[in-house]
Amino acid sequence: QVQLVESGGGLVQAGGSLRLSCAASGTISSINAMAWFRQAPGKQREWVATIASGGITSYLDSVRGRFTISRDSAKNTVYLQMNSLKPEDTALYYCRYRAIRDYWGQGTQVTVSS
């Protein structure tokens, strides 16, 4: 079993920064990809960023250049550094660990005021 706990969300003004953390426990392998998703009110959950084996990263176009995903395998933690935040980044942010099945955390709320 895998448990994921997100933290670091909050209220920030447009242009500000936040760093989200996702701490994983259980049977974790650094080979498996971890990702961040978000869901805004009334919208479907959307993928934001992935970090795969070897540290290969990929990003949603609208966040590329502003967000950075990283991973500390020793701590089983993945981070999402979010800079130049915009009101449209407001959402509940989730991390996902992909193994034989997908594991999800409970989410952390990010609210960006204009």
Side-chain angles (χ1 to χ4, degrees):
Q1 277 292 64
V2 173
Q3 294 80 41
L4 304 174
V5 178
E6 300 97 336
S7 62
L11 173 64
V12 64
Q13 288 188 331
S17 298
L18 285 173
R19 188 175 84 150
L20 306 184
S21 299
C22 174
S25 60
T27 304
I28 303 295
S29 170
S30 60
I31 295 175
N32 295 333
M34 294 192 73
W36 286 96
F37 286 72
R38 65 187 181 187
Q39 187 166 17
K43 295 186 178 181
Q44 290 188 332
R45 188 174 298 189
E46 70 173 351
W47 167 78
V48 175
T50 296
I51 185 162
S53 176
I56 298 172
T57 58
S58 53
Y59 298 92
L60 178 70
D61 283 349
S62 63
V63 308
R64 187 177 293 113
R66 300 188 296 122
F67 291 10
T68 302
I69 188 170
S70 61
R71 186 171 188 170
D72 185 334
S73 296
K75 296 181 179 179
N76 285 337
T77 300
V78 64
Y79 304 96
L80 186 68
Q81 177 66 44
M82 306 187 296
N83 299 327
S84 302
L85 282 161
K86 303 175 181 180
E88 51 264 43
D89 295 319
T90 295
L92 188 60
Y93 282 71
Y94 299 88
C95 67
R96 183 196 70 187
Y97 174 75
R98 170 152 282 182
I100 295 175
R101 50 154 286 194
D102 289 341
Y103 296 89
W104 295 88
Q106 294 298 307
T108 185
Q109 178 67 39
V110 172
T111 303
V112 184
S113 63
S114 56

